[in-house]
Amino acid sequence: MTGTSLSLGTIWLTAVMLTVGAACGLGAQMAGLPMPFMLGSLGGAGLAAGVQGQSLLRDYRFPERLRTVFIGLIGVMIGTQVQPDLLAEIGDFALTLTALAGFVLLAHAGNMVIFQQLGGYSRATAFYAGMPGGLMESLVMGERAGADLPVLTAQQFLRVILVITLLPTGLSLWLGHPVGSAAGATAMAPAPLPAMSLPLILAAALGGLWIGRLLRLPAGQITGPLVLTAGLSLTGLVDLHLPFWLIATAQVVVGVSLGLRFNSMSLAMLRRSAGLSVVSVLWMLTLGALFASVLASVTDLPFVQLFLAYAPGGVTEMSVIALSLAANPALVSLHHVVRILFTVTFMGMFARRTGPDEG
């Protein structure tokens, strides 16, 4: 199972785990959970790893090449959020986009203090667990830097879970009506993608992976396809929209591959991670609200839209909430894509300078 070629046992276990992940994703969708296929498959695989981690799954390793391709597809999905109509509005967002750099740096600095001083994490684990965005990017970069991957995975997923759970709930109570997934909104393409476009999507993912490797981009597995797809979308010549089933499949593959990492994480460790995540998320939401208040006072943009744009949650769910509020989903999507790019770029630069993997 550890060689370059896949054994029949690895193929069989991979098929079983993906089936379990898909079933858990469907269950999470029926329960109305946010990011159901990612979180459901992660939970199902994590439970399987906890039960069978020392027996059936002890020597199992999820196929890395399969994981890489589907990470690339998620990069393509994020890149499709960058549309030509954003260029017409970019002037209105100049100040708010620039301020994102300050938000990313301050949020990460505060998180480093929380995870190192309160959590006692190593420098590498605290560094990547504190990234205020880019869930997949932080895991890829952290794994290479020697961070504690089960802890890092838990912290980053708990960040997203808490934000996309607390924020819609809080806004629903404040506004007096449901928002986000609870309101039945969706950020998916309204119609399935024609079959002839599927090769183009795969080509964008593979081409982006090649570019990321060639240019040695930070977290190139996702940023390469993201940048390539964003560039194609901005030309207006290519309009890629991944069908729901492909997005769900990519989330299941990535969710299962991450969930299997929990076989070395105890319940006590998970409880500690949850407590630290609450502190971290409250810090970032407070900071985001402060930035949104200041920017709303000097621009014509509403506070709620800016708060959604600065909330450190998922691109898709934040856009869904914006849709349900009749807000500007382009503004929200653009800011979240830029936040991810800022986070990955800054963290990549600082990682090389400070060497967080040494401590």
Side-chain angles (χ1 to χ4, degrees):
M1 292 185 187
T2 58
T4 56
S5 60
L6 297 181
S7 67
L8 287 177
T10 297
I11 295 173
W12 179 81
L13 281 175
T14 300
V16 169
M17 292 309 305
L18 290 177
T19 301
V20 170
C24 292
L26 288 172
Q29 183 184 46
M30 293 175 63
L33 297 181
M35 296 177 64
F37 289 95
M38 177 76 81
L39 299 182
S41 60
L42 172 71
L47 181 61
V51 174
Q52 297 290 337
Q54 299 304 315
S55 55
L56 183 63
L57 298 174
R58 182 180 58 186
D59 298 322
Y60 173 73
R61 296 293 181 272
F62 193 88
E64 186 63 27
R65 290 184 180 179
L66 179 65
R67 175 175 176 261
T68 298
V69 170
F70 281 95
I71 288 176
L73 287 173
I74 291 178
V76 171
M77 180 188 72
I78 298 174
T80 61
Q81 300 286 330
V82 182
Q83 294 293 315
D85 60 335
L86 292 180
L87 294 178
E89 303 178 70
I90 196 69
D92 298 333
F93 304 155
L95 178 60
T96 59
L97 289 171
T98 302
L100 266 175
F103 171 81
V104 167
L105 294 175
L106 288 173
H108 185 258
N111 284 338
M112 280 285 291
V113 173
I114 292 169
F115 291 126
Q116 274 195 292
Q117 301 302 318
L118 295 182
Y121 290 168
S122 69
R123 191 180 182 190
T125 303
F127 188 90
Y128 291 102
M131 287 175 61
L135 182 151
M136 289 305 309
E137 299 89 334
S138 67
L139 298 179
V140 173
M141 295 171 71
E143 183 177 21
R144 293 178 178 175
D148 188 330
L149 196 58
V151 171
L152 175 58
T153 301
Q155 294 294 174
Q156 283 293 346
F157 268 98
L158 285 168
R159 169 182 64 83
V160 175
I161 292 169
L162 286 173
V163 171
I164 64 182
T165 301
L166 295 177
L167 192 59
T169 302
L171 288 175
S172 298
L173 293 174
W174 182 33
L175 298 172
H177 60 81
V179 302
S181 298
T186 178
M188 300 301 169
L193 194 70
M196 291 301 294
S197 296
L198 293 178
L200 184 58
I201 292 174
L202 182 59
L206 296 178
L209 289 171
W210 178 77
I211 290 174
R213 188 180 303 110
L214 178 68
L215 300 181
R216 297 184 179 180
L217 295 175
Q221 292 177 337
I222 195 166
T223 54
L226 190 161
V227 171
L228 176 60
T229 307
L232 291 173
S233 298
L234 287 175
T235 65
L237 300 177
V238 178
D239 187 20
L240 290 178
H241 289 286
L242 276 69
F244 172 77
W245 65 264
L246 186 56
I247 295 173
T249 301
Q251 291 181 342
V252 167
V253 171
V254 175
V256 167
S257 69
L258 293 174
L260 290 170
R261 309 292 182 115
F262 281 88
N263 60 357
S264 60
M265 190 169 190
S266 66
L267 185 59
M269 188 185 300
L270 189 58
R271 283 198 299 265
R272 183 182 67 163
S273 297
L276 291 170
S277 286
V278 170
V279 178
S280 171
V281 166
L282 288 178
W283 154 245
M284 290 188 286
L285 288 179
T286 301
L287 184 65
L290 178 61
F291 269 79
S293 297
V294 173
L295 292 169
S297 67
V298 297
T299 66
D300 295 328
L301 298 172
F303 168 79
V304 172
Q305 289 189 24
L306 289 167
F307 188 35
L308 290 174
Y310 275 74
V315 178
T316 300
E317 183 66 17
M318 294 301 104
S319 300
V320 165
I321 297 172
L323 286 170
S324 68
L325 290 172
N328 185 346
L331 178 150
V332 174
S333 297
L334 175 63
H335 281 71
H336 282 288
V337 170
V338 171
R339 174 173 57 86
I340 291 172
L341 291 175
F342 276 166
T343 300
V344 173
T345 301
F346 291 162
M347 297 310 102
M349 292 170 54
F350 293 154
R352 287 191 291 270
R353 289 186 178 185
T354 62
D357 53 318
E358 297 174 359

